[in-house]
Amino acid sequence: MTRSSAPAKVFLFGEHAVVYGEPAVLCAVDRRVTVHAEEAEEDAIHAEDLSVTGVTERGGALTGEADELGYVRKAVEKAREEAGTEAAVEVTISSEVPVGAGLGSSAAVVVAAIDAVSRELGAPLEAERVAELGYEVELSVQGSASPSDTYASATGGAVYVEPDVEMRSLDSSGLSFVVGYDGGSAPTGEMVEGVRRLTERNLVASGVVELIGEVTRSGVGAVEENDLDMVGELMNLNHGLLEALGVGSTSLARMVWAAREAGARGAKLTGAGGGGCIVALGGGPEVLAGVEAVAEEAFRVEAAEGVRQE
Ligand code: PMV
């Protein structure tokens, strides 16, 4: 029997633009998905207290159409292939991560599952390899995905991701956040498609995507220099540009403004948008209280370790 956990993540800069090859900066945060794996007579998937993206929990057992169970099933297959065996495994999942809300719940479950199953099958993997396989799983289930979430969840801390160019860790000391959650979610695929259509019909929108790339290039320098005022200012700019791309919402805007008015250094939506979560830099009690007042749920998070054995 083995147990692994993997963290959620927030985007400091660059969601959506990363789909077009622009860089992004993310930070793994200390809300985790835990996967317990055990060799068994036949494959089975159970959940203790979550609904994994597209998967419904009923009485502790996951049920759903074949493609709804896709993430977990594919992760098990990948780990098995990598271990070069045909052994069956039973996995049980528990999660502290809101689903489909911009915190990378699907990447965290995929990364934790690959790690737990590969350990159970006697073939533990390096975090980088877990990230690569996790990306392959997300690609095959979603059709399109950037490697950002799986890399952040596998390696932990703050990371810089420039697809097909470079992925590396950044110093995450001093980074603490308040996350506000409006209780909603929007399908990532639809949000990505909406931005694609906008950029295709409107040149100005393509310019906004490039500008987000510029924000990220400045932002990575600010993170490396630990210039938190500049990081916050650039997060605010990034939020404005995401709204320009049409992925904001009333409830996200309300939480962003509540965080700023309570003294956050900066605040923006995180992930695909349309609903879900915002991230505010500077996790003081006033910011938490300010966001809590307008959110379904708010919590403090800090930079977290990547995938690990529990
Ligand atoms: O909402 P999330 O955590 O699935 O993040 C989506 C981020 C996008 O840039 C919109 C898509 C991607 O694959 O990077």
Side-chain angles (χ1 to χ4, degrees), residues 170-258:
L170 302 170
D171 181 5
S172 57
S173 50
L175 293 179
S176 73
F177 311 96
V178 166
V179 169
Y181 175 39
D182 67 8
S185 66
T188 300
E190 279 173 31
M191 301 309 294
V192 169
E193 201 35 49
V195 172
R196 187 177 303 284
R197 280 197 301 270
L198 181 63
T199 55
E200 277 167 7
R201 69 171 179 268
N202 195 319
L203 258 184
V204 178
S206 312
V208 171
V209 167
E210 284 167 27
L211 266 179
I212 292 177
E214 286 306 310
V215 169
T216 304
R217 278 182 271 276
S218 299
V220 68
V223 170
E224 278 170 330
E225 284 159 24
N226 208 21
D227 182 349
L228 297 183
D229 286 335
M230 181 55 77
V231 173
E233 187 169 304
L234 290 164
M235 286 171 70
N236 288 339
L237 269 166
N238 197 157
H239 181 75
L241 295 170
L242 286 164
E243 286 203 321
L245 291 179
V247 299
S249 78
T250 312
S251 56
L252 292 171
R254 203 176 284 129
M255 294 188 288
V256 160
W257 279 106

Side-chain angles (χ1 to χ4, degrees), residues 22 39 64 68 81 92 102 110 132 136 144 156 190 198 236 238 242 252 267 278:
E22 299 290 348
E39 273 203 62
E68 290 184 330
E81 243 171 66
T92 305
V110 164
E132 279 169 18
E136 287 173 20
S144 82
E190 279 173 31
L198 181 63
N236 288 339
N238 197 157
L242 286 164
L252 292 171
I278 63 119

Side-chain angles (χ1 to χ4, degrees), residues 9 11 14-19 101-104 142 144-146 148-149 188 192 270-273:
K9 66 94 217 332
F11 269 95
E15 54 272 86
H16 285 288
V18 72
V19 173
L103 297 183
Q142 287 170 205
S144 82
S146 75
S148 324
D149 284 21
T188 300
V192 169
T270 171

